[in-house]
Amino acid sequence: MTKPKPWISLGGIGVFAVLLLAVAPLLLTDHWLNNLGKYCCWAIAAVGIGLAWGRGGMLVMGQGVFFALGAYSMAMHLTLESAGDRVPGFMVLYDPLAPLPAFWEPFRSAEFTLLAIVLLPVIMAGVLGYALFKRRVKGAYFAILTQALAVALATLISSTIRETGGDTGLSDFKYFFGFVLNDPANKLMVYLIAAGLLVVCLLAVWQLYRSRFGELLVATRDAEERVRFLGYDPANVKLVAFVVSALMASIGGAMFVPLVGIITPAEIGAAASILMIAGVAFGGRASLFGPALGAMAVGWGQSSLGSTWPEGWTYILGLLFIVVILFLPNGLSSLPARFTGRARRRPDPQQPAPVIAAAELEEVRS
């Protein structure tokens, strides 16, 4: 199967950008536009998972950790912005005389918050990835460890009610960097920022895929020992992909907060991380658009079916996931290639059998 030309993927990103940034605001109601913004946040995280898992072979089942770093950094700033000079209301309920925790104070600054959204996941993923990849931890061990971190972080936040709001989370945000969130124009602005960031992430991953690094990442996934024999350190290659994936998850989490208006441990734990993985697998983990579209589809299912059938929509999602794994292991994005492949392999009745067999053998070899 031949690779699509770079300009075709770039044109697809352009069409996707027009649909998100120009067409959607004109056609959708405020409610569905806000939901679409939420799906874009999950898609941003999914694009990073596609880079790490689809191209790098690292099953990152704990992206909720990095999603939480961005989400809670943004939520803490918005909470302090809404509270003004006062201590946030949920803290006063537990101890009216207690001061603001020291680690909250820097998040009064918008600049510090933006830096935290970027630097915290980069530092944490860099340290964690270096420790794991240098020791050649991979496969199921890597997946289980990352998921355990997501469970541990969600449990920690649930148990720190006084500092983080616990299971009820952080909510009741009134401002977004000085803009009133209830204003429809500002809601549109927040949506456009989230959609624009998704387009930027797709462009970044598109560039990485066609670069020398992208080739090394695929080679590391398929033949790590050969890459090491050629003089490259596979740990460094995987580390870069892991850090970029963590950064995208943090950005998605940061934009999720002003769009949804709340962040709780339920949005960052093991279940949330598995939903991200399911969306990526559903769309096609190795493709450019598959992870984003799959995550948006799963998000739509959660919003639509979850409201009408809250206890049963996960069964539908699980059934779809099983069907895709059994019949479309490369996700829905592999459907066009399958159809074109069948059309290409369809025998010509006017061609002799030896010629057909030779053509099929040459296709297998290529």
Side-chain angles (χ1 to χ4, degrees):
M1 183 177 64
T2 59
K3 295 181 180 180
K5 295 181 179 180
W7 65 267
I8 296 179
S9 299
L10 188 60
I13 295 176
V15 173
F16 194 56
V18 170
L19 292 175
L20 286 178
L21 300 174
V23 177
L26 293 177
L27 299 182
L28 298 181
T29 63
D30 292 342
H31 169 74
W32 280 108
L33 194 65
N34 190 76
N35 278 346
L36 182 59
K38 180 173 65 174
Y39 308 154
C40 287
C41 296
W42 284 328
I44 292 172
V47 170
I49 295 174
L51 174 67
W53 182 31
R55 295 300 176 103
M58 297 170 282
L59 183 54
V60 284
M61 298 189 68
Q63 289 301 90
V65 172
F66 307 111
F67 194 88
L69 291 177
Y72 272 89
S73 294
M74 179 66 76
M76 289 164 67
H77 174 74
L78 298 186
T79 299
L80 292 174
E81 193 175 18
S82 301
D85 296 332
R86 302 184 305 272
V87 176
F90 75 91
M91 294 183 182
V92 176
L93 291 176
Y94 297 103
D95 189 354
L97 300 178
L100 185 71
F103 71 92
W104 273 72
E105 196 63 42
F107 287 95
R108 291 190 184 275
S109 169
E111 293 78 10
F112 180 87
T113 301
L114 295 176
L115 284 175
I117 292 170
V118 174
L119 294 182
L120 284 179
V122 169
I123 294 172
M124 183 173 181
V127 173
L128 178 64
Y130 185 86
L132 294 179
F133 299 140
K134 287 297 182 179
R135 288 167 175 77
R136 302 186 186 183
V137 177
K138 55 185 177 180
Y141 299 101
F142 178 81
I144 293 172
L145 180 58
T146 54
Q147 189 175 46
L149 289 175
V151 174
L153 181 60
T155 304
L156 175 64
I157 293 176
S158 297
S159 62
T160 54
I161 301 175
R162 166 71 174 78
E163 292 80 11
T164 63
D167 289 331
T168 57
L170 301 176
S171 60
D172 195 25
F173 311 119
K174 296 181 175 61
Y175 303 99
F176 177 75
F177 295 95
F179 295 93
V180 180
L181 276 175
N182 287 333
D183 189 337
N186 293 335
K187 289 183 177 181
L188 176 61
M189 175 192 68
V190 175
Y191 162 76
L192 291 175
I193 293 174
L197 287 171
L198 173 57
V199 174
V200 170
C201 289
L202 284 172
L203 285 171
V205 170
W206 171 79
Q207 181 60 38
L208 287 175
Y209 282 177
R210 61 192 295 266
S211 67
R212 180 68 173 174
F213 169 78
E215 296 177 355
L216 276 174
L217 186 61
V218 174
T220 301
R221 178 196 65 189
D222 296 337
E224 183 172 329
E225 293 303 323
R226 290 187 179 183
V227 172
R228 185 176 287 107
F229 177 76
L230 291 174
Y232 297 97
D233 189 350
N236 294 335
V237 178
K238 292 193 288 186
L239 180 61
V240 172
F242 185 55
V243 169
V244 173
S245 174
L247 175 59
M248 290 184 180
S250 179
I251 293 173
M255 293 309 303
F256 180 85
V257 169
L259 283 163
V260 179
I262 187 174
I263 183 67
T264 67
E267 304 290 347
I268 65 170
S273 299
I274 291 174
L275 278 179
M276 295 180 192
I277 291 290
V280 173
F282 182 68
R285 59 190 174 99
S287 66
L288 177 63
F289 292 101
L293 296 178
M296 296 175 81
V298 170
W300 175 82
Q302 184 180 18
S303 299
S304 301
L305 298 178
S307 60
T308 57
W309 194 16
E311 296 181 356
W313 80 271
T314 51
Y315 295 105
I316 297 178
L317 176 63
L319 178 62
L320 287 175
F321 187 68
I322 293 173
V323 170
V324 168
I325 292 299
L326 289 178
F327 300 102
L328 290 172
N330 293 324
L332 295 180
S333 62
S334 63
L335 279 177
R338 282 201 169 195
F339 285 130
T340 55
R342 288 180 180 178
R344 192 182 300 115
R345 291 194 300 268
R346 187 174 297 166
D348 187 352
Q350 297 180 354
Q351 238 180 353
V355 176
I356 298 175
E360 292 180 350
L361 180 61
E362 180 63 28
E363 183 178 358
V364 171
R365 287 177 177 175
S366 61

